[in-house]
């Protein structure tokens, strides 16, 4: 039997991508355009007031980024015309029916052309307002599914979730929906439409009747998300709303072919389009930054606990492979993308890599003096950590100001992981790799095998240097 190719499948395909301005989304857009210039069209759904604003946002937040450097150098003067020919920036949002796409002719054109939908739109803040997170992470999935069913040539839907929909479970986490089955069996207690949505609407009306300020409303809606998460046994609003989104996907997909990609923590590019590209600060990067600047000297974590992460280009390669292998096959399949099972990295080794890099490449204070760091103290409880730090709140305030994140959430997550050791089963992902390698001639160009990662080399020469570049740029801008 003649082998097929992944690039062959992508040729002349029309793909709709939500969340294209996100970390995974823009890496996916770049990869497809770079490796398969004969793709017919990419529709990118972007929050914008009109088509012109959407196009401007696409240039500013996607194609104008350094990420597209390789493709831009390859095409030279033809880059802009290539993007204009292949990419359509849509003004819309997953929170609306028909994804907020207004022009009737455009909607008809898309329904007649779109063959693949990649849904990566998400609110990823742990403590986002409950109403906002529900609209995107939960009801946005339902709106996407409703739209998918109108696409006459649709072959595949790929939904990007998170491995942490497993909640507080410990041990080997399977690639299934068992973590949310208990919730699904209790419609009287848990009903998205009749309970969660109505509760949010009722709370908002109550606050508006009280003439509450926007600040008070935001605080109340965040508190509601936290309370609902605790009630149902999930760590935060982000995970709860992603869980409910997956539940919708399972209940309402009909005959669609659906693949769910569940990555663990996503890090900088491993190889493509070049190594070390990252945007923003991921969870562990906040830790690296505080340590590098000498502001963080201890953290509550078991030295032998596993730091489960996966480079973003491997996540993208798995998405593309999953959409090709599963196209036109009615059903749902879940893939875990992580490293805890096949190539585990312990926090002790992670600590050593940070120490080595920050010793060889010290942070320079404003006066030019280098910051000297010792190895990070790994403390097994929050009480011990607070005692060790003496002034933890001041440290937390520094981290929030410096990196625009709620660092307390990081500490809580580390403490949780000490008590709840997880390994993410990747049997389905391994089978996907096997099928691809045996049936597609170019499967090697879409590698997502975590066993190939040399953690010391990756951290010392790829990830931390890429992260450090971002920190230095942000620090320089803050001094202007």
């Amino acid at each position: 039997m003649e082998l097929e190719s992944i690039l062959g499948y992508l040729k002349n395909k029309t793909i709709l991508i939500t969340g294209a301005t996100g970390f995974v989304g823009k890496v996916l857009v770049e990869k497809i355009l770079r490796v398969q210039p004969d793709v017919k069209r990419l529709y990118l759904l972007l929050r914008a007031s009109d088509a012109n604003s959407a196009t401007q946002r696409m240039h500013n937040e996607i194609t104008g980024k350094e990420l597209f450097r390789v493709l831009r150098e390859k095409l030279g003067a033809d880059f802009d015309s290539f993007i204009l020919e292949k990419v359509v920036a849509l003004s819309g949002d997953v929170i609306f029916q028909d994804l907020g796409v207004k022009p009737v002719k455009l909607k008809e054109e898309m329904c007649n052309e779109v063959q693949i939908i990649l849904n990566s739109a998400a609110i990823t803040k742990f403590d986002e307002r409950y109403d906002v997170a529900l609209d995107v992470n939960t009801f946005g999935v339902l709106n996407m599914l409703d739209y998918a069913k109108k696409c006459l040539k649709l072959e595949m839907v790929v939904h990007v979730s998170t491995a942490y929909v497993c909640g507080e479970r410990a041990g080997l986490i399977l690639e299934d929906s068992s973590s949310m089955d208990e919730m699904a069996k209790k419609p009287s207690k848990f009903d998205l439409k009749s309970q969660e949505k109505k509760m949010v609407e009722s709370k908002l009306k109550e606050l508006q009747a009280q003439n509450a300020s926007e600040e008070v409303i935001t605080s109340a809606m965040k508190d509601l998300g936290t309370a609902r998460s605790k009630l149902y046994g999930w760590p935060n609003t982000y995970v709860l709303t992603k869980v409910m989104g997956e539940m919708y996907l399972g209940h309402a997909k009909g005959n669609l072919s659906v693949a769910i990609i569940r990555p663990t923590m996503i890090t900088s590019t491993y190889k493509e389009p070049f190594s070390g590209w990252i945007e923003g600060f991921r969870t562990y990067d906040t830790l690296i930054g505080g340590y590098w600047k000498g502001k963080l000297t201890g953290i509550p974590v078991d030295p032998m606990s596993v730091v489960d992460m996966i480079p973003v280009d491997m996540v993208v390669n798995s998405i593309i492979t999953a959409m090709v292998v599963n196209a036109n096959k009615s059903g749902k399949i879940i893939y875990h993308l992580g490293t805890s099972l096949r190539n585990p990295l312990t926090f002790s080794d992670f600590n050593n890599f940070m120490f080595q890099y920050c010793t060889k490449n010290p942070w320079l204070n404003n006066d030019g003096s280098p910051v000297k760091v010792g190895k990070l103290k790994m403390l097994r409880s929050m009480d011990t950590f607070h005692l060790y730090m003496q002034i933890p709140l001041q440290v937390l305030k520094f981290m929030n100001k410096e990196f625009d994140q709620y660092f307390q959430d990081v500490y809580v997550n580390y403490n949780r992981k000490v008590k709840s050791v997880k390994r993410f089963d990747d049997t389905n992902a391994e089978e996907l790799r096997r099928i691809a390698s045996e049936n597609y001639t170019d499967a090697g160009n879409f590698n997502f095998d975590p066993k190939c990662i040399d953690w010391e080399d990756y951290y010392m020469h790829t990830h931390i240097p890429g992260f450090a570049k971002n920190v230095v740029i942000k620090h320089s801008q803050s001094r202007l």
Side-chain angles (χ1 to χ4, degrees):
M1 184 179 71
E2 185 177 349
L3 295 181
E4 301 175 273
S5 73
I6 293 174
L7 292 182
Y9 175 82
L10 293 174
K11 186 176 181 180
N12 293 321
K13 284 294 186 291
T14 298
I15 305 172
L16 169 62
I17 301 174
T18 72
T21 59
F23 187 40
V24 173
K26 63 186 64 175
V27 176
L28 175 70
V29 170
E30 191 280 337
K31 171 90 178 191
I32 292 174
L33 292 175
R34 175 168 47 83
V35 302
Q36 183 44 288
D38 290 327
V39 66
K40 183 176 181 180
R41 185 166 291 112
L42 300 184
Y43 286 107
L44 309 184
L45 187 72
L46 306 174
R47 287 194 301 273
S49 57
D50 53 40
N52 288 335
S53 298
T55 299
Q56 189 60 50
R57 189 178 180 203
M58 178 186 73
H59 289 315
N60 292 343
E61 299 183 34
I62 304 175
T63 59
K65 292 288 186 178
E66 184 193 14
L67 175 68
F68 282 75
R69 183 184 74 204
V70 173
L71 182 59
R72 188 177 290 275
E73 291 173 353
K74 177 182 177 181
L75 296 176
D78 295 328
F79 178 81
D80 290 336
S81 60
F82 174 76
I83 296 298
L84 184 64
E85 176 190 356
K86 298 293 181 179
V87 186
V88 177
L90 300 170
S91 170
D93 197 323
V94 295
I95 70 173
F96 300 118
Q97 184 179 11
D98 289 334
L99 307 181
V101 178
K102 297 288 178 62
V104 175
K105 185 177 180 181
L106 178 59
K107 283 197 288 189
E108 290 178 352
E109 181 181 288
M110 290 174 61
C111 286
N112 288 325
E113 290 186 5
V114 169
Q115 295 155 290
I116 301 163
I117 295 179
L118 185 282
N119 184 48
S120 64
I123 297 292
T124 58
K125 283 180 62 177
F126 290 167
D127 69 338
E128 183 57 87
R129 288 176 50 151
Y130 193 40
D131 55 334
V132 173
L134 269 176
D135 275 347
V136 177
N137 297 346
T138 303
F139 299 120
V141 175
L142 186 59
N143 291 331
M144 179 274 294
L145 282 175
D146 287 343
Y147 186 80
K149 292 172 183 177
K150 298 176 182 179
C151 296
L152 303 179
K153 297 180 180 178
L154 192 71
E155 300 177 6
M156 189 69 210
V157 172
V158 180
H159 174 70
V160 180
S161 185
T162 170
Y164 300 102
V165 293
C166 64
E168 305 292 351
R169 286 188 168 195
L172 186 65
I173 309 301
L174 301 179
E175 293 167 299
D176 60 21
S177 301
S178 57
S179 62
M180 53 197 79
D181 284 348
E182 184 176 347
M183 184 181 287
K185 291 176 182 177
K186 298 180 179 179
S188 60
K189 180 182 176 184
F190 181 83
D191 188 313
L192 296 180
K193 287 186 177 179
S194 67
Q195 184 163 323
E196 299 305 303
K197 192 171 185 178
K198 286 183 179 179
M199 178 180 295
V200 165
E201 292 172 348
S202 175
K203 185 64 176 179
L204 285 173
K205 286 180 181 178
E206 176 188 325
L207 292 165
Q208 290 162 359
Q210 297 170 357
N211 293 318
S213 66
E214 190 61 30
E215 183 179 353
V216 169
I217 292 174
T218 295
S219 178
M221 296 312 296
K222 285 187 175 184
D223 289 344
L224 180 60
T226 300
R228 302 307 284 175
S229 301
K230 289 182 179 178
L231 175 65
Y232 295 125
W234 304 96
N236 53 58
T237 302
Y238 165 64
V239 172
L240 172 63
T241 53
K242 290 296 282 186
V243 165
M244 293 190 290
E246 276 204 30
M247 290 174 65
Y248 256 147
L249 199 58
H251 294 160
K253 75 174 191 63
N255 293 323
L256 296 177
S257 177
V258 174
I260 298 175
I261 307 294
R262 289 181 183 169
T264 55
M265 284 176 285
I266 305 175
T267 59
S268 61
T269 54
Y270 177 65
K271 293 288 185 183
E272 294 185 76
F274 48 88
S275 61
W277 185 82
I278 192 169
E279 188 172 59
F281 301 108
R282 322 316 290 180
T283 301
Y284 282 97
D285 297 335
T286 310
L287 187 155
I288 296 170
Y291 172 75
W292 193 25
K293 294 187 175 186
K295 304 296 183 180
L296 184 68
T297 57
I299 194 166
V301 67
D302 186 331
M304 298 314 294
S305 64
V306 172
V307 182
D308 200 325
M309 51 186 66
I310 187 79
V312 64
D313 48 333
M314 288 192 172
V315 175
V316 164
N317 286 341
S318 75
I319 289 171
I320 295 173
T321 305
M323 71 169 63
V324 174
V325 170
N326 294 288
N328 295 310
K329 297 176 182 176
S330 179
K332 182 188 78 172
I333 189 165
I334 297 170
Y335 298 106
H336 280 157
L337 268 296
T339 56
S340 59
L341 194 66
R342 298 184 185 277
N343 189 7
L345 168 67
T346 65
F347 200 94
S348 178
D349 286 338
F350 175 74
N351 188 13
N352 288 334
F353 301 153
M354 282 200 304
F355 175 71
Q356 291 176 47
Y357 182 88
C358 296
T359 300
K360 293 178 181 178
N361 306 275
W363 176 262
L364 299 179
N365 290 315
N366 291 339
D367 61 4
S369 61
V371 173
K372 295 182 179 179
V373 298
K375 283 194 176 182
L376 193 68
K377 295 288 191 301
M378 292 174 281
L379 308 159
R380 292 177 181 269
S381 74
M382 283 296 289
D383 290 339
T384 306
F385 170 73
H386 284 160
L387 184 64
Y388 173 77
M389 293 300 290
Q390 295 182 337
I391 50 170
L393 291 179
Q394 285 85 335
V395 175
L396 295 177
K397 287 178 181 178
F398 166 81
M399 296 305 296
N400 287 335
K401 178 181 177 182
E402 192 71 10
F403 298 109
D404 233 2
Q405 295 186 18
Y406 292 91
F407 202 57
Q408 180 67 52
D409 283 339
V410 179
Y411 292 148
V412 171
N413 285 340
Y414 286 138
N415 192 39
R416 182 181 294 117
K417 287 171 186 174
V418 170
K419 299 176 182 176
S420 178
V421 179
K422 295 177 173 64
R423 294 289 190 277
F424 292 99
D425 176 45
D426 63 352
T427 300
N428 291 345
E430 185 69 11
E431 178 66 5
L432 180 65
R433 283 189 284 271
R434 185 194 65 77
I435 293 172
S437 64
E438 292 180 0
N439 294 278
Y440 296 89
T441 58
D442 52 357
N445 296 326
F446 297 86
N447 175 43
F448 56 97
D449 186 352
K451 294 194 295 292
C452 70
I453 301 173
D454 180 323
W455 287 118
E456 181 172 8
D457 180 70
Y458 175 70
Y459 268 95
M460 294 295 293
H461 302 113
T462 298
H463 182 74
I464 300 182
F467 162 75
K469 181 180 177 181
N470 277 0
V471 173
V472 171
I473 290 173
K474 183 173 182 178
H475 181 72
S476 299
Q477 291 173 341
S478 68
R479 297 176 62 186
L480 295 178

